Amino acid sequence: MSQVLGYCFPRSSSDSQRNPLERRVSRGGGESRTRAFSWKKLVGSYWSDWLFIGGLWVIYLSISRIPGHRREFSLRELSLQHSFAEHELVPRNLLMFVTVGLPLIVMLPIATFVARNAWDVHNAVCGLFMSFTMAGVVTQVIKLMVGRPRPDLIARCQPPADAHDAPVYGLSTWKICTQKDFYILNDGFKSFPSGHSSLSFAGVGFLALYLAGKMHLWDVYGNRNRAWFALSPLLIGAMVAISRTQDNRHHWQDVLIGSVLGMCVATVAYRTYYPHLAHPACHLPMLPRVYDDDMDEEALEVGVRLLNDQQGIPRQSEEEDAWRRA
C-alpha cells in the first residue's frame, strides 16, 4: 500500500535534497509535528476568506431568482422551439454532489490520511467553496445582464395559437407569453452562460488541480497514468455540461463558455491556497498568512511560502530569482 501511495502521490526524494521551502507535517517513525496548526492562526489567517465566501453565497441566493434582462425573440426561430424537459438529467441535488460532495469525498481522505496536514484539509475545503461561490455569482450576474433565450423558450412562453411576431422589426417580447409560472418564464431568458457547466467545472476543476498538485504532474518526469487519474474529474464536468444540451436548456455556446468560466475560476481559487503546479513543493498548501518569529520553524512544517515578508518588503520568488540568474 505504501508503494502505491508513493507512486500516486510522489514527494521530494529525500530530506537532504528537499527544497528548503518544503516541509512535511509528519516525520518518519510516526512522530507527528502539528504544533504549527492552531485555531487562533486559522481564524487570524482566513476569517476574511470565509466571510467573503459567506457574502458570495448570500449574493448568489439573492440574485438567482431575479428576472433580469429579457431579450426580444422570434416565434419563428427554430433554435428556440425545442421541447421543455420536465425532468433534467442532472437535477440540482445531483449538481451539488458533483460540484461540492464529490471533491470533498476525494480531497478530505487524501489531506487527512495521505498528506496528514491540517492546513491542507482547511485549504482544500476553503478553496473549493471559494471556487463554487465565485463561479455561481459570476455566472448569475452574466445571466441577468445578457438575457439570452433558452432553446425551449417557446415551450416555456406558451404564446397564443394565433400569435405572430410584431411587424416592421419582426420580433416578439416576453409580454406575448401566457405562462402563469413566472419562475419558468423568467428562467427561460437565462441561457448564457450555463450555470451547470460553470459550477461543475468550478468543483471538479478544483479537484483536478488538487490531484495534479499532489501527484506532481508538472515535474520534469511526467507520468501518463497519474495524469489520466488526476484529470479524470474533468470528464464528469464535461458530461454534466453536455447534459444541458440534451435537456434543451442551453445552446452549445452557453455550455462552452460556462465550462471555460468554471475552470478559470477554479484555477484562481486553487492558486489562492496552493503554489503553482511546477513548484517543487506543489503538494503542500500555502503557509498561513498570520505568523510570528516563534513559529517560523514550525510553520514551515505545514506548507509553502513563495514570498518572504520578514523585513516587511516582499522579495521575489525562488523561481524568479533563478530565472534572473540564468
Side-chain angles (χ1 to χ4, degrees), residues 26-32 116:
S26 60
R27 299 290 185 177
E31 179 185 0
S32 179
R116 290 173 292 176

Side-chain angles (χ1 to χ4, degrees), residues 107-118 120-121 210:
M107 292 190 301
L108 289 183
I110 294 176
T112 304
F113 301 109
V114 178
R116 290 173 292 176
N117 190 322
D120 193 17
V121 175
Y210 180 85

Side-chain angles (χ1 to χ4, degrees), residues 196-263:
H196 275 60
S197 302
S198 62
L199 290 178
S200 61
F201 271 91
V204 299
F206 187 91
L207 173 60
L209 293 171
Y210 180 85
L211 293 176
K214 289 291 183 288
M215 295 182 175
H216 285 262
L217 293 189
W218 265 247
D219 59 17
V220 296
Y221 304 103
N223 189 285
R224 178 185 59 191
N225 296 331
R226 283 190 276 127
W228 279 110
F229 181 76
L231 301 180
S232 60
L234 299 181
L235 177 61
I236 300 177
M239 294 173 63
V240 173
I242 293 173
S243 73
R244 303 306 287 168
T245 62
Q246 295 176 297
D247 289 335
N248 299 326
R249 290 293 197 266
H250 292 284
H251 309 275
W252 69 267
Q253 300 96 330
D254 311 330
V255 169
L256 176 62
I257 299 301
S259 302
V260 173
L261 173 63
M263 195 66 208

Side-chain angles (χ1 to χ4, degrees), residues 255-276:
V255 169
L256 176 62
I257 299 301
S259 302
V260 173
L261 173 63
M263 195 66 208
C264 290
V265 172
T267 303
V268 173
Y270 179 81
R271 286 291 287 113
T272 304
Y273 301 100
Y274 291 89
H276 56 83

